Amino acid sequence: MIYTHNLMKIFLDTADLNEIRAANETGLIDGVTTNPTLILRSGRTLPDVAKQLVEEFPHFESISTEVVADTAEEMIEQAQQYINIGPAITIKLPCTVEGLKACRALNREGIKTNVTLIFSAAQAVLAAKAGATYVSPFIGRLDDQSVAGLEVVRSISELYRIYGVQTKVLSASIRSVQRAVRSWYNGAEVVTMPPNIFWQMYDHILTRDGLDKFQQDWDAAKLEL
Ligand code: E4P
């Protein structure tokens, strides 16, 4: 039997296709999140990026495309540009009155949603009631304000567990491997991280030192035995 563990999911928080291709080679990536800042940085349009991601990575469970508008109607209208690109497309909406109205409407149409810019359990309750597929608490930005981002993840996960809420906790704004790991530990199902944090997850000085020593001894053994 082939065993792969797929409960602690890893999304990449980037719109850089080369970075996504490189990380995807490992077979350990489950999806992508983008935001307007990341799209600007990529130098490409969002529909372009979304189309290419759907085409190249059909196994991704979710590809977040963010709408930017003031009213629910405008958000839903913008969402129409992305929805038909593929089943992984997930409409990213802000945790505002209008954003959550749009979330409810899209959810009724069976469209995946990711309610973003979540900074409290109260906001996560509202997003869950609006039928969000994912909620994205921003750990790093909370930490910047001297609020423990991981505690917010823990409160949301615990609340959702108590009430059997289906909405998935997607820990975002990740700036270190430690924050990623503690997010899963605190109940997040998904962590979205910049590619450099993904690569750092492999790294440990004792692994490097251990490999150096094994290499030396292997070479010595080849000479002696
Ligand atoms: C999440 O979906 C956002 O794109 C992202 O994690 C924000 O991270 P930042 O606070 O590092 O900009």
Side-chain angles (χ1 to χ4, degrees):
M1 186 179 110
I2 297 170
Y3 175 73
T4 57
H5 185 81
N6 200 27
L7 286 178
M8 292 174 289
K9 290 179 182 154
I10 299 176
F11 288 5
L12 290 177
D13 199 25
T14 181
D16 184 322
L17 279 151
N18 289 330
E19 297 261 34
I20 297 166
R21 284 184 193 121
N24 182 61
E25 291 281 303
T26 64
L28 305 180
I29 304 300
D30 303 295
V32 162
T33 51
T34 66
N35 65 33
T37 310
L38 296 171
I39 290 296
L40 175 69
R41 219 175 278 161
S42 76
R44 305 182 62 186
T45 66
L46 179 52
D48 231 41
V49 171
K51 277 181 204 144
Q52 192 145 7
L53 289 176
V54 165
E55 207 178 286
E56 277 193 46
F57 311 103
H59 60 288
F60 282 177
E61 76 161 46
S62 174
I63 296 166
S64 279
T65 55
E66 187 156 348
V67 293
V68 183
D70 293 329
T71 67
E73 291 70 27
E74 287 167 336
M75 290 178 200
I76 293 166
E77 201 183 306
Q78 264 185 40
Q80 304 305 327
Q81 299 177 63
Y82 315 121
I83 289 164
N84 293 325
I85 294 175
I89 293 295
T90 303
I91 305 301
K92 207 169 172 192
L93 303 146
C95 189
T96 59
V97 173
E98 293 302 306
L100 294 188
K101 279 187 198 165
C103 180
R104 282 196 74 208
L106 292 169
N107 179 47
R108 278 199 296 264
E109 300 296 319
I111 293 153
K112 288 185 194 162
T113 51
N114 173 2
V115 176
T116 190
L117 291 166
I118 293 266
F119 294 96
S120 71
Q123 291 178 311
V125 167
L126 299 177
K129 287 181 71 74
T133 316
Y134 302 92
V135 288
S136 293
F138 275 36
I139 309 310
R141 295 193 197 186
L142 278 163
D143 291 346
D144 289 345
Q145 301 300 317
S146 305
V147 176
L150 290 170
E151 278 307 297
V152 175
V153 171
R154 197 183 55 76
S155 311
I156 298 170
S157 303
E158 187 59 10
L159 259 171
Y160 283 5
R161 192 191 60 77
I162 292 168
Y163 289 97
V165 170
Q166 300 291 303
T167 304
K168 296 171 184 171
V169 181
L170 192 171
S171 199
S173 186
I174 295 295
R175 303 195 184 143
S176 69
V177 170
Q178 188 263 7
R179 289 295 192 269
V181 173
R182 298 306 288 187
S183 289
W184 284 303
Y185 188 83
N186 282 10
E189 180 171 326
V190 188
V191 177
T192 189
M193 62 188 78
N196 68 311
I197 302 291
F198 170 67
W199 295 116
Q200 282 172 36
M201 284 180 70
Y202 284 89
D203 191 42
H204 198 287
I205 187 165
L206 295 177
T207 307
R208 276 183 272 128
D209 286 355
L211 276 173
D212 284 349
K213 174 74 177 133
F214 286 159
Q215 184 69 55
Q216 284 164 19
D217 291 349
W218 181 249
D219 294 342
K222 274 197 290 195
L223 288 178
E224 280 174 31
L225 304 175

